[in-house]
Amino acid sequence: MKQYVILAFCLVCSIGLSQDKTYTEEELAITKWIDGTLLSPNGNDKPNLAIIIAGSGPTNRNGNQNFLKNNSLKKLAEGLTDNGIATFRYDKRIVKQILKNNVDKDMMFDDFVSDASDVLDYFKEKDSYNKIYVIGHSQGSLVGMLSAKDKADGFISLAGAGNNIGDVIIEQVTKMAPKLGTEAQRIVGLLKQGENTTDYPDALGSMFGPNIQDFMINWMTHTPTEIIQDLEMPILIINGTKDLQVSVKEAELLKEANDQAKLIIIDNMNHVLFEIEGDDLENSKSYNESFRKVSPILIESITDFIKS
């Protein structure tokens, strides 16, 4: 008798959970390397769609990397779809390559742009959506604005840099290790000219090593402020005051480059979209704290922009 009671209780719980869910979930393979998750709001035959592009590194569709789990992009997607906006988020191609032990050593920054363009083409051809927006987070902001041009109905930069990545690196290195700042400036100068070099300090090997130089050269050919000024679509630029990686100044540069864009600065929001009340230690720890909620102001701001 006890088993039947437990079974009935579980059945009631599962029915309740399914009724509470405001969307359906579908796994999609877009190309050989791009897999993602589509969330579609219930009761809307032709919703707006937001395509979410992840930031730097081997970042998956949920905003996570190995040993770093916060589910920030998953929570962003769910929050938007709860508000009636379809969302598609996908693993960067390197995620699948790592799983298959088949990492392309010749991978370029422009490959990420091609992937985002393929995703846009896939959904545009379906003609199932009212409007399609691109949300690019961090590195994904530049990827997003490059792919959105002439294809998307709107673009959202989320913690995206305004400066060229080479200049961003110089500033970060100089801030952390002033003695290396001059060296970083010299190396970036060479890379911007398309020149490789073996003359770099060991301390800067993770940024300028031989295996990554061609990728960085390719990345440095794109300057966000130059690209965003040519985007002829509604643009929303969002940054948080507690972002340890991308300062509010970067968002302001993007706004200056396109005065038609809307700029929103969210107090206490950090780089992984959480609101932090404490110091830098709490901020850094939050990158691996999946129990946290993404900023409600962020969800509200993007929802209002897309539905306006």
Side-chain angles (χ1 to χ4, degrees):
M1 183 65 176
K2 184 178 180 182
Q3 290 176 327
Y4 288 116
V5 172
I6 293 173
L7 182 61
F9 176 76
C10 291
L11 182 60
V12 169
C13 287
S14 65
I15 291 172
L17 287 172
S18 65
Q19 288 175 337
D20 289 340
K21 208 163 190 179
T22 62
Y23 54 81
T24 58
E25 188 170 333
E26 182 181 0
E27 302 301 303
L28 296 177
I30 306 298
T31 66
K32 175 183 177 182
W33 292 118
I34 300 301
D35 301 325
T37 301
L38 174 67
L39 303 183
S40 302
N42 297 335
N44 192 338
D45 293 334
K46 201 166 185 177
N48 292 320
L49 171 70
I51 297 169
I52 300 173
I53 303 172
S56 58
T59 308
N60 68 17
R61 70 191 73 179
N62 296 329
N64 303 328
Q65 299 181 15
N66 285 342
F67 312 112
L68 202 65
K69 183 177 180 180
N70 52 62
N71 283 331
S72 56
L73 299 185
K74 178 182 180 183
K75 293 171 185 177
L76 172 62
E78 291 174 343
L80 294 176
T81 308
D82 277 337
N83 286 342
I85 299 165
T87 58
F88 180 75
R89 63 191 195 276
Y90 62 91
D91 302 330
K92 293 178 68 177
R93 64 164 55 199
I94 193 171
V95 172
K96 194 167 188 178
Q97 290 178 2
I98 289 172
L99 289 173
K100 290 182 172 291
N101 196 27
N102 185 25
V103 176
D104 180 6
K105 295 179 181 178
D106 297 321
M107 182 166 44
M108 294 289 136
F109 177 86
D110 284 347
D111 289 325
F112 300 148
V113 180
S114 296
D115 291 338
S117 294
D118 288 341
V119 171
L120 262 163
D121 289 340
Y122 175 89
F123 286 106
K124 282 175 70 71
E125 288 169 9
K126 279 185 168 296
D127 195 30
S128 300
Y129 302 96
N130 178 38
K131 291 182 179 179
I132 298 179
Y133 293 78
V134 170
I135 302 175
H137 176 248
S138 192
Q139 182 196 71
S141 171
L142 178 55
V143 173
M145 67 177 76
L146 284 164
S147 60
K149 188 175 181 181
D150 301 325
K151 288 189 177 184
D153 296 294
F155 170 68
I156 299 162
S157 173
L158 192 49
N163 280 304
N164 184 284
I165 185 59
D167 299 324
V168 173
I169 289 172
I170 292 170
E171 182 179 356
Q172 289 178 342
V173 170
T174 302
K175 189 180 296 183
M176 291 186 295
K179 292 181 179 179
L180 290 173
T182 303
E183 281 296 282
Q185 190 168 10
R186 177 183 63 82
I187 298 163
V188 166
L190 291 171
L191 297 180
K192 280 187 176 182
Q193 295 174 38
E195 298 179 22
N196 294 93
T197 180
T198 56
D199 182 15
Y200 56 86
D202 290 341
L204 299 179
S206 62
M207 288 178 281
F208 300 128
N211 293 334
I212 196 174
Q213 281 189 24
D214 287 341
F215 180 92
M216 297 303 295
I217 287 171
N218 181 216
W219 191 353
M220 288 180 195
T221 62
H222 305 294
T223 298
T225 50
E226 294 175 2
I227 297 155
I228 200 168
Q229 68 184 0
D230 292 331
L231 288 189
E232 296 179 354
M233 61 183 68
I235 299 170
L236 174 62
I237 301 163
I238 301 178
N239 220 94
T241 61
K242 287 203 173 178
D243 193 319
L244 296 174
Q245 293 170 249
V246 180
S247 69
V248 167
K249 180 183 73 174
E250 298 292 327
E252 291 171 343
L253 285 173
L254 291 175
K255 166 64 176 173
E256 289 172 13
N258 191 318
D259 60 7
Q260 298 300 307
K262 182 178 182 181
L263 173 64
I264 294 178
I265 304 300
I266 299 177
D267 283 342
N268 296 325
M269 190 178 78
N270 72 356
H271 193 68
V272 290
L273 316 180
F274 300 147
E275 292 184 7
I276 302 298
E277 297 298 333
D279 57 12
D280 287 353
L281 178 60
E282 179 191 342
N283 197 337
S284 299
K285 285 175 63 179
S286 73
Y287 281 52
N288 199 30
E289 293 178 337
S290 59
F291 63 84
R292 291 180 178 267
K293 296 179 179 179
V294 297
S295 166
I297 299 173
L298 174 67
I299 300 293
E300 181 183 349
S301 299
I302 295 177
T303 299
D304 290 346
F305 175 75
I306 290 178
K307 289 189 172 183
S308 63

